[in-house]
Amino acid sequence: MSHLQPPPQQQPQVITVQSATPAFRDIPVSMVCPHCNHQIQTAIAFESGTLTWVICGVLLLFGCWLGCCLIPFFIDGCKDCIHTCPSCNNVVGKFTRL
Ligand SMILES: [Zn+2]
């Protein structure tokens, strides 16, 4: 009887930050929550930020006014990233692209 090993689990990309003020990007970070002092991995959410509106304006200038200017609002890469604590749900950081 041969025992098959389960395939190794793919770990999501996480950056571990030791400093008190981690560099927030658009991926979850491991940190100590300043609100509840738990060791957490931040939950991220995207919201429309300055860059989203800038791209919207640029698309308008180039004549993409038939709805194309709304495209950046559907692309997370154009949005700001909000980091929240999954333990206490407080916002612990924000990543803005501008
Ligand atoms: Zn917390």
Side-chain angles (χ1 to χ4, degrees):
M1 286 286 284
S2 64
H3 180 70
L4 287 175
Q5 290 287 332
Q9 289 278 320
Q10 279 283 337
Q11 292 294 325
Q13 187 186 12
V14 176
I15 49 175
T16 303
V17 183
Q18 302 296 336
S19 66
T21 52
F24 291 105
R25 292 184 55 219
D26 54 355
I27 56 174
V29 296
S30 294
M31 61 177 290
V32 175
C33 174
H35 302 283
C36 63
N37 290 319
H38 281 92
Q39 178 68 43
I40 56 156
Q41 182 176 307
T42 59
I44 56 172
F46 294 97
E47 74 171 19
S48 301
T50 313
L51 181 62
T52 319
W53 288 101
V54 169
I55 294 175
C56 175
V58 169
L59 288 175
L60 275 173
L61 282 174
F62 281 93
C64 300
W65 45 269
L66 287 173
C68 299
C69 64
L70 298 177
I71 288 174
F73 293 98
F74 297 102
I75 304 175
D76 286 343
C78 300
K79 296 179 182 178
D80 293 343
C81 184
I82 311 297
H83 291 256
T84 55
C85 169
S87 181
C88 65
N89 289 320
N90 276 304
V91 176
V92 293
K94 187 176 181 180
F95 168 67
T96 55
R97 296 175 195 278
L98 284 180

